[in-house]
Amino acid sequence: MPPSKLQPKLQLKLLPKQNVIIAFLFFLSTVAGGIAPAVLAQDSSPPKKVRLIEYQDDKDAAPKNGLTPSYTPHIPSTDSPLVLPDGSPVKIVKKNQPSPLPRRFEEAPQPLKTAKSEIRTAEVKHDENNTAKVPQIPSSIPKYEPEISTVLAGYTEKDFAAAQIRSGVGTASFLNVIPGVTTQEEVLDGWGEPLSKSRVGDQIAHFYSTEILNHIEVFYKDGEVSSIVIRLDEPFPEKQVRDVLKSELLTSKPVLIPDESGTIIGEVFPEKGVMFLFSDSANKVHLVHQIAIEPITSEPFVLRAEATVNTHPTDARSDLLNALRLNPKDAKAHHLLAQILLLEGQTEAAMIQCSAAIRLDERKPAFHLTLTQIMMRMNRFEEAKIYLEETLVLCERSQHEKARAFCMLGDLYRLCLNPDYEIAIECHSEAIRIASPLTEHRNPATRQQAKDVLFDAHLGAARDVAWGQWDEKEISIKKWLAQAKEYANDPEMLALPRFSREYPFKLAVSELACQVGFTETADVKPFIEQVLNTGELLLQTTKDPLLLRKLKWEIALSMYDGVQICQLRKQYVQALKYGEFAAEYMEAGIEGRRSEVDQYLLGRLYFRLGAIHAIGNKNHRAAIEWFSKAKPVFEKLLPKINPEELGRLGGTLVSMGVSYWETGQREEAVRLTERGLKQIERAVKIGNAEPSEFLIPYTNLSKMYEELGDAENANRYAELLTTVR
């Protein structure tokens, strides 16, 4: 066999370590192309495909036969005793009593039309292979077949172009050989015959050696270079290798690759198709022992997006749009993009992306849980509850996701149209029971997700107690919140920037929300100040524009709770002060949000502030300043309003009419009152309101027309009034 023609042009008389590093400085160059997981070569064993790890399944919990076991979703029995975090029993006064205060979510009933369905517990069905069937995506969700031209679903082509900000996307080359471009014939012509050949599956491997690099492997598939692997004679610190190659890798931020146990085994540079593989090291320094180059594909972009979706969603969105350009059928990319769209408040687009992910890979529990979250954000609580109960079937092989599902189910039982606080707290308790053993799991990602569920489940249980009717509520709430604080101070979670920054804010929000359950308690001011302080700290330490808008929206929602508490306690000065704060944050956070639920909630806040001026302060001129902001929101969303909300919206418009009448805007007052009456009529017709709701609009319209000198209409409404008295 003739010797290899692969010879460096420069013969450098340097130490071995320097030889390798400097050689790469001359060998690597950048051209256009694309990326994929690297192929690793061992001396005599076939190359191994490095799997980009996704923490979906718990191997320890997986059944040996690989099938999902038969499972009936368990809603814990209300006959079993409930206990607080310290083991003391929860004392029930009366079941299913409404909260003393209206819940914030009652301030934003679903404005979209959706089919009503009865509450039920899912029946587990199996196919012919005895595998549990996946839940059916609700028919109200539009179908979506991912195509390059429509992959954005909520983004414009301008957004797509903005995602291409990073320059230098293209596969790296090695001695003019470009994986995915160069043919086998061209390599043989330029490099000569290899030292040896072998066949590995459907690929052919050629082995080369130089005076500087002793192990170079070129893999071919269908006559084209599929990858190049350079094995170093001895490992080098990752930073040293990257510093030497920085001119080539400058435009690509690497992402670490973990194995199933969470151990970091390498890193990939998505824009370049370059991967470093690390050798085992006793210290914490990553030592590179192999470098691989492959064509650019979607997976590394998705891996990097997964690592940054919660901390840098703008960058993650860019990666996901690039990934979907490369592979429109990447289920995980669609799922992560759905999470970002949800963060942005684009619920319709998020639903389309998430349904696309499910249709591409229907057995991933995380996809179904995200779809449930989207339905919850759209206030489709009944539909979400049914869907989530069906999803529990898929979670048996992934216990941390099963715990998350029960935590969400507890929230749904508290938030649904007919809340059951006892079942809600039992679902949260079940989530705690499932997640607790996972805090010792060998996989760090599973441990962290379990602890996050425990934190959220204790906060959820505190709200269950606050909003329901229980004995010794304050004592119980304090115990649940105290336990949540312990998880917030867990050393492992404090070491993670995301959790250490977000937990204090989430605690403050929950503590304030729990005050909604009391008509008269201690001053609410400290709770609101804590929300503002922790929220402002988050804003100051956050640079991502998407996260900034999300945080402002969440601060606004919490302030809205403070407004309702103060209003019910007739503390109107404080209610207006906090309401103006809420409006300021909500207006800043609404930018870019296309959710009608969010827009409707903003309209409700405007109306509430006007009502406080009108009813609490008898100041109708100040009231209509806020009503003028609420009107266009309500009128825009009126065609899409949920039938169950018609009666309340009708009453809202009638109330606004009074202030316009008192300030001399009589034509507008009559218009609003009549429009409100029409909504009440529609609600009564479909059985969502009682005929007694006609009393106020009939009375007001009769008096209005009488003062306007329109006797005919005045008498007509006076006669109608006699039918409801």
Side-chain angles (χ1 to χ4, degrees), residues 360-502:
L360 290 166
D361 190 350
E362 62 183 10
R363 304 203 69 83
K364 285 288 193 298
F367 296 179
H368 296 279
L369 295 182
T370 296
L371 185 58
T372 302
Q373 286 181 314
I374 296 168
M375 287 189 279
M376 291 173 69
R377 283 283 301 280
M378 299 175 79
N379 285 359
R380 296 164 68 161
F381 298 127
E382 305 300 330
E383 191 176 6
K385 182 148 62 69
I386 293 169
Y387 189 77
L388 183 56
E389 287 168 349
E390 294 177 348
T391 299
L392 283 170
V393 176
L394 292 179
C395 296
E396 276 301 293
R397 297 183 64 183
S398 182
Q399 290 295 293
H400 65 273
E401 289 176 315
K402 181 180 177 182
R404 174 59 67 187
F406 268 107
C407 186
M408 293 169 60
L409 194 58
D411 293 339
L412 281 166
Y413 270 102
R414 183 181 67 246
L415 298 171
C416 63
L417 293 175
N418 298 300
D420 190 320
Y421 302 114
E422 290 181 54
I423 293 183
I425 199 171
E426 290 193 11
C427 287
H428 285 126
S429 297
E430 182 72 358
I432 292 168
R433 183 191 68 79
I434 296 169
S436 294
L438 299 178
T439 58
E440 303 297 326
H441 199 279
R442 61 188 175 85
N443 190 315
T446 299
R447 287 198 310 271
Q448 293 157 15
Q449 290 180 49
K451 291 175 181 179
D452 192 42
V453 170
L454 287 168
F455 176 74
D456 287 341
H458 282 84
L459 294 181
R463 295 194 189 201
D464 299 337
V465 176
W467 293 4
Q469 294 295 306
W470 310 83
D471 194 11
E472 299 179 356
K473 286 175 64 168
E474 288 193 74
I475 296 174
S476 177
I477 291 169
K478 287 179 180 179
K479 289 180 178 179
W480 286 109
L481 292 175
Q483 188 65 42
K485 289 178 182 178
E486 288 192 22
Y487 287 108
N489 293 323
D490 179 274
E492 182 177 29
M493 304 305 275
L494 286 175
L496 301 170
R498 174 196 168 194
F499 297 112
S500 63
R501 292 169 61 246
E502 289 183 0

Side-chain angles (χ1 to χ4, degrees), residues 53 94 209 226 291 365 397 426 620:
I53 303 302
K94 193 173 182 180
S209 178
S226 58
I291 299 176
R397 297 183 64 183
E426 290 193 11
H620 292 285

